[in-house]
Amino acid sequence: QVQLVDSGGGFVQAGDSLRLSCAASGLTFSSYTMGWFRQAPGKEREFVAAIRGVNAIIYYADFAKGRFTISRDSAKNTVYLQMNSLKPEDTAVYYCATSGRSAVRAIGTYEYWGRGTQVTVSS
């Protein structure tokens, strides 16, 4: 029943911005942590950012601080990842995911995943 649809990726140049979206259905939005992860070629999937459902506390990976902003619109059941000052090393498939557990940076915490959206940043 739970479904996540992530979108908004694209091909951009270094320094450009993108906003990713994740539309959730089949869950009580405020009861779940929503997270963003990414996976670059040859690398493991890594945590990017998350927002807790109950109190909206936000967490970022170090590389995301100051450049990326996670937010949510509860009325739309949608979470966003605004990415500014993009770098070539940000190139990856970005996934949204949802968790009802506390370890917000751990991949194993997340039960439901979107299909991913490709972000490509050229120099």
Side-chain angles (χ1 to χ4, degrees), residues 38-79:
R38 70 184 188 183
Q39 188 165 21
K43 296 184 178 180
E44 295 185 351
R45 193 169 299 183
E46 64 179 343
F47 172 80
V48 177
I51 181 167
R52 287 194 177 276
V54 175
N55 54 17
I57 298 297
I58 290 171
Y59 306 83
Y60 293 107
D62 286 343
F63 65 79
K65 294 177 180 177
R67 296 192 298 129
F68 296 1
T69 303
I70 189 171
S71 62
R72 73 182 186 189
D73 185 335
S74 295
K76 296 180 179 180
N77 259 24
T78 300
V79 65

Side-chain angles (χ1 to χ4, degrees), residues 64-113:
K65 294 177 180 177
R67 296 192 298 129
F68 296 1
T69 303
I70 189 171
S71 62
R72 73 182 186 189
D73 185 335
S74 295
K76 296 180 179 180
N77 259 24
T78 300
V79 65
Y80 305 95
L81 184 69
Q82 177 68 43
M83 303 187 294
N84 299 325
S85 302
L86 284 164
K87 305 174 182 179
E89 52 263 45
D90 295 319
T91 295
V93 177
Y94 285 71
Y95 300 87
C96 67
T98 186
S99 171
R101 306 180 71 176
S102 61
V104 298
R105 293 178 174 87
I107 292 174
T109 293
Y110 293 82
E111 183 176 3
Y112 300 99
W113 295 80

Side-chain angles (χ1 to χ4, degrees), residues 14-48:
D16 286 350
S17 298
L18 284 172
R19 189 181 75 162
L20 307 183
S21 299
C22 177
S25 62
L27 56 81
T28 302
F29 198 71
S30 62
S31 299
Y32 289 82
T33 294
M34 302 299 299
W36 287 98
F37 292 78
R38 70 184 188 183
Q39 188 165 21
K43 296 184 178 180
E44 295 185 351
R45 193 169 299 183
E46 64 179 343
F47 172 80
V48 177

